[in-house]
Amino acid sequence: MKFKLPWLAAAAAGAFAAIAFPAAAEETKPIKIGVNTAIQLQVGRDAIDAVKMAVDEINANGGVLGRKFETLVADEGEAASEGPKVGIAAVNKLTGEDHVDVLIGGYDSGVTLGELPHIARAKKIFLGIGSASPTIQQKVKDDYDHYKYIFRVNPINSAKQANGLIDFIVGKLKGELEYSKISIIGENAKWVQDIVPALKKGATEAGMEVPIAEFFDVQTADFSPIFTKVKDSGSQYLLIIISHAASDVFVKQWYDAKVPVPIGGIDVKAQDANFFKRVDGKAISEVSTNFVLRAPLTEKTVGWWDNFVKLYGRAPVYTAGGSYDAVYIYADAIKRAGSAETDAVIKALETTDYVGVRGRVQFDALHEVKDGAGFVNELFVQWQQDGNRVVIWPREVANGKMINPPWITQN
Amino acid sequence: MTEAIRHIDWIVALAALGVLAAGPSLFGTSYVIGVLTVALCFGMWAASWDFMSGLTGRENFGHSLFIGAGAYTAGFLNVKFGLSPYWSLIAGPLVAVLFGIAMGFPTLRLKGPYFALAMLSAAAVMQSLTIIFSEYTGGQDGLNGLDPMLDSTLAYYYLTLFFLALTAVILKLLANSSWGTLLRAVRGDEASCEAAGINVTFYKIVSLMISAAFAGLGGVLYAHYQLQVGPDLFAVVLSINIIIMVYVGGMGSIYGPIGGAILLNVLTEAFRGFSEYRLWVYTLVLMFIVYFMPQGLIAPLWRKIRAIVP
Amino acid sequence: MIQILIYGAVISAIYAMLAVGFTLIFGVARILNLAHGSFYALGAYAVYALTAEAKLPLWLAAILAVLLVALFGILIERVLVRPLRRRSMLAVLLITLAVALMVEQVLLLIFGSEARNVPSFVSTAYHFLGVDVSGQRLLALAAGILVLGGLWVFMQHTKLGAAILAISQDAEAAQYVGIPADRMYSIVMGLSAGIAAAAGVLVAPFQTVIPGMGLLPLVKAFAIVVVGGLGSIPGSILGALLLGYTETFIAFKISIEWSQIVSVAAVLIALILRPTGFFGKRVAF
């Protein structure tokens, strides 16, 4: 008896360890985040850096449910020359070989749309942080069981951005500035082609005249024909929608020719903190929508912005705010679900109520980030003297007056 | 020059087929299967290009015209009209052939780089049109939500492999027949052929149609793998990439370009480890091959090996 | 109407500079140089790097940029093209393509994907016959005309120019007379590269400076040259005017979106109607 007890105890301990240890190992296995983005572009680099920043912070605080995060990156390639195939391979690699637990990324809508069926087939959660096409989230409604994994954290989708623009047109341009004639031009990306008719309708229904509503090729290098036509039409404002095309050149040509029509709208490149300097200050008075700014959108924003600059030596672009929030939102969902198991996390994600660096994040029935007062906002920001950025719309968050281009003296 | 097909060729071809078939089922993750399926489609595009341009020497810089035609046909039939994907296997090549006829008649009489440029322009025009008429074509984002033909990606890979093998066999047999001899003669001296009473234009147009058909077929298969079609399938860059694959494989051999396509597709993925230097390294490798191997890599290699075998 | 006249002239001048270089190297050495767009891009990036990083004055940076790219062109010809020329034209084509891809990747790796800013040489906006046009554009037009004029003088009135013409007409005969063909090819490549770089330098202040900026100009140069006649300089100039004005006209009168496709379609039609272009194979002015 006396001999057997220690042996029994040892055997029991061994058995216990044999059972508990793998389970414990399972529970301390890192949670893998796969980042699929265009690594050669600024938006891609900032997304990766923002994810790493969030991951490092969370890991420093002990991780989530005792598990640490690990980041893996896969290049989506250059959409223009390689199409979606590199992105699809990236997604397949991350899910099929690296066995990530979640995907955070996306930039070009065409590539993301191409990746979706493959992500859905792999049954992995995707937190979109760069693509704006509404078609992406529409799939959640059309086929929930198959596409319930797809969420969009950033940016606000282009259809909603369009509503924000109509609000700007009617409220600011017509309401406050009393313009009666505006023109609209946009690059011929699909989402722009979808929203321009809606914008035109919104403006005309408010009693404004829209003499020109045109598209131009993304590769356009010479905008003089457009400026001339817009000027000749007597338009008082030129609403622009530019995402991939050459904003730098557009703005420089506008300034150099001293076009007597102010410009503003969606201009993704104009969101860059160094845009003003990049174009030698020629962006003065341009208005562009922004999703993240060094301004107290929430109590976390300014601190995060400054940290990012300190860590990486450059100001973040819109994908950075989204990626940073996405990591925390995912962590938060795991905590509330009590596990990292996909279906449980999806249920938790759907009930997200998280205050990030861009605003308060909740998801609607299409897994889209909610926009509007109190949530994540589309801010209309104007470049003013010396590169100062002033929020001039919506009224509730505006912190300055809108100015005219220096060569136009009066409204 | 036309080498007769020997038993050794058939054996090695079957062995290669075997490797391509067995590989994915043993090591296949969705990633590997995906990359290889794409590579096989490129193989069909390269082989079909080689049949026309490799033999006649009339380089076609707009092969993507046929690819996009096949792919968009698949997209329209499946997404807009809700037809089963299998119809596209017939319709896609057919539409591509129609494009071949439409472009072949006016351009095949052009000499030298003019045919090349005409085809390039045609493809570029189609690309612009798909973007401008975005209401019907989905513009830059293209048509998405195509149904997969088969539920299992592995099974689809085998289907694609089957079609590639079919393409290779048909084109190689044609290339080695009197048809092929005639096309090679056109490369040498078109005027003499005409003088000998051969209707050269007829042969050139039919060859372009055959080339288009197989390219279109590849386009359909690619569309139902990617489940999305976009204007990038009409792009000049695609045509040029295919020409590079043919060159690396060895022009005029039909099987070489297939090898070149598979090799280069695998390389672009294999170089992921170089992160942002991926394309730079890839281009370096290309330069190396173009500079040091004027006849390409694969076909000359095979010819050397098989010369040793009795 | 005046706007179309002036803007069309600026665009045509730039196109002409690109097309002339392209046709020169083809007419003389039978090389379809797919790296031609890279010379254009390198010109723009060189002037950017020299002003923004090396802080040189603009005029000096411009001249240096053109010279450096011309040298680069000569280097490419000597090291990569010459050995392959004996083998096949396709090999040459592909190596120039590889150079183009390489240049784009290197520019991307060094300068990043974001557009670079090159300051204008002339900042004032001019009001010319009722049209607002920036001084930089007028400068581009004037410089373009000067360069083309200079090329004409060079080809017609110098020994080197005559030698180049001789080579383009009959390489063998020219060699019998003692003209070193190989060295001529290098010189022509350098000349071609320099002119393309000059175009890049002139437009850099008002066009997008990104690593991929050379592709579209290459396609356009290719199209113009074919329409004008491969190997013919006057043909290229005429073709450039045709394309430049068609694009500008369509952009103003219809929409910018259609101006691109029209130019490509015009090439297609021109090829079908008149395959050898306006002036066929003459290089001479």
Side-chain angles (χ1 to χ4, degrees), chain A residues 93-106:
Chain A
K93 178 165 188 298
L94 288 172
T95 57
E97 290 212 341
D98 300 324
H99 302 292
V100 297
D101 296 285
V102 68
L103 288 165
I104 297 181

Side-chain angles (χ1 to χ4, degrees), chain A residues 40-43 45 78 188 193 214-217 219-226 228-229 231-232 246 248-249 252-253 255-260 269 272 277-280 282, chain C residues 3 7 11 104-105 108-109 112-120 123-125 127 130 132-134 137 204-209 216 248 250-257 260:
Chain A
Q40 288 186 316
L41 302 180
Q42 180 86 38
V43 287
R45 279 196 294 267
E78 204 187 281
N188 63 1
Q193 288 162 326
E214 242 183 61
F215 301 103
F216 58 88
D217 192 82
Q219 306 232 20
T220 305
D222 201 334
F223 297 97
S224 0
I226 292 181
T228 310
K229 275 200 273 202
K231 183 181 97 165
D232 289 345
D248 294 45
V249 165
K252 283 202 282 190
Q253 290 181 5
Y255 184 96
D256 284 340
K258 305 254 184 305
V259 181
K269 300 264 160 59
D272 294 349
K277 244 175 55 168
R278 224 162 63 203
V279 297
D280 269 345
K282 295 184 179 177
Chain C
Q3 305 133 343
Y7 280 107
I11 298 230
E104 188 181 334
Q105 282 304 305
L108 186 60
L109 289 169
S113 59
E114 304 312 299
R116 295 287 137 192
N117 179 44
V118 176
S120 298
S123 311
T124 41
H127 203 69
D132 294 318
V133 63
S134 74
R137 283 179 198 266
F206 62 86
Q207 299 227 337
T208 328
V209 178
L216 199 57
T248 313
I250 304 267
F252 272 89
K253 290 293 176 189
I254 303 179
S255 110
I256 266 198
E257 211 184 5
Q260 298 304 313

Side-chain angles (χ1 to χ4, degrees), chain B:
Chain B
M1 89 225 79
T2 323
E3 325 121 351
I5 304 179
R6 308 192 324 209
H7 287 300
I8 184 74
D9 295 312
W10 284 113
I11 295 173
V12 172
L14 274 168
L17 193 65
V19 168
L20 281 173
S25 67
L26 295 173
F27 310 108
T29 57
S30 61
Y31 173 56
V32 169
I33 295 175
V35 172
L36 285 176
T37 309
V38 169
L40 294 185
C41 292
F42 270 90
M44 291 179 69
W45 298 334
S48 55
W49 190 92
D50 195 29
F51 176 71
M52 169 67 197
S53 301
L55 294 184
T56 63
R58 300 272 177 277
E59 283 112 16
N60 171 8
F61 273 55
H63 205 51
S64 56
L65 180 69
F66 307 134
I67 297 174
Y72 268 91
T73 304
F76 274 116
L77 287 182
N78 190 239
V79 174
K80 298 273 180 182
F81 296 114
L83 293 176
S84 148
Y86 290 104
W87 286 109
S88 304
L89 287 172
I90 304 171
L94 216 65
V95 173
V97 168
L98 286 173
F99 273 85
I101 297 175
M103 284 311 301
F105 270 109
T107 62
L108 274 167
R109 60 192 171 86
L110 300 176
K111 288 190 267 292
Y114 301 101
F115 169 63
L117 184 61
M119 292 303 298
L120 188 150
S121 310
V125 166
M126 279 312 295
Q127 189 183 20
S128 290
L129 285 176
T130 50
I131 295 176
I132 293 178
F133 289 106
S134 63
E135 251 178 86
Y136 308 101
T137 63
Q140 287 276 14
D141 292 348
L143 296 168
N144 57 86
L146 276 87
D147 302 313
M149 259 187 226
L150 298 166
D151 278 329
S152 146
T153 48
L154 188 61
Y156 191 67
Y157 170 76
Y158 286 132
L159 185 69
T160 313
L161 186 60
F162 165 72
F163 278 112
L164 174 65
L166 198 69
T167 305
V169 168
I170 294 178
L171 290 180
K172 186 62 175 167
L173 287 176
L174 266 175
N176 272 43
S177 71
S178 49
W179 193 289
T181 314
L182 212 136
L183 290 181
R184 282 178 235 259
V186 164
R187 161 191 245 141
D189 191 343
E190 196 168 325
S192 301
C193 292
E194 290 271 13
I198 300 169
N199 188 349
V200 176
T201 309
F202 168 76
Y203 280 97
K204 282 202 283 189
I205 291 184
V206 174
S207 302
L208 190 65
M209 284 164 62
I210 296 175
S211 173
F214 285 104
L217 181 62
V220 170
L221 290 167
Y222 187 75
H224 281 287
Y225 157 72
Q226 189 161 271
L227 307 177
Q228 189 253 18
V229 295
D232 58 284
L233 289 169
F234 278 116
V236 176
V237 185
L238 181 60
S239 307
I240 293 184
N241 278 334
I242 294 170
I243 297 177
I244 294 177
M245 290 171 190
V246 171
Y247 186 87
V248 165
M251 290 227 305
S253 59
I254 307 289
Y255 63 86
I258 297 178
I262 296 178
L263 177 69
L264 291 182
N265 265 284
V266 168
L267 277 184
T268 39
E269 282 298 318
F271 287 161
R272 263 184 197 276
F274 291 107
S275 53
E276 61 259 31
Y277 295 98
R278 178 175 60 99
L279 288 174
W280 185 85
V281 176
Y282 178 75
T283 309
L284 212 58
V285 170
L286 275 182
M287 268 181 134
F288 185 83
I289 295 178
V290 171
Y291 193 79
F292 289 111
M293 303 175 197
Q295 301 299 321
L297 175 64
I298 301 193
L301 197 65
W302 171 240
R303 283 193 204 113
K304 282 209 181 78
I305 295 175
R306 119 207 236 270
I308 306 174
V309 176

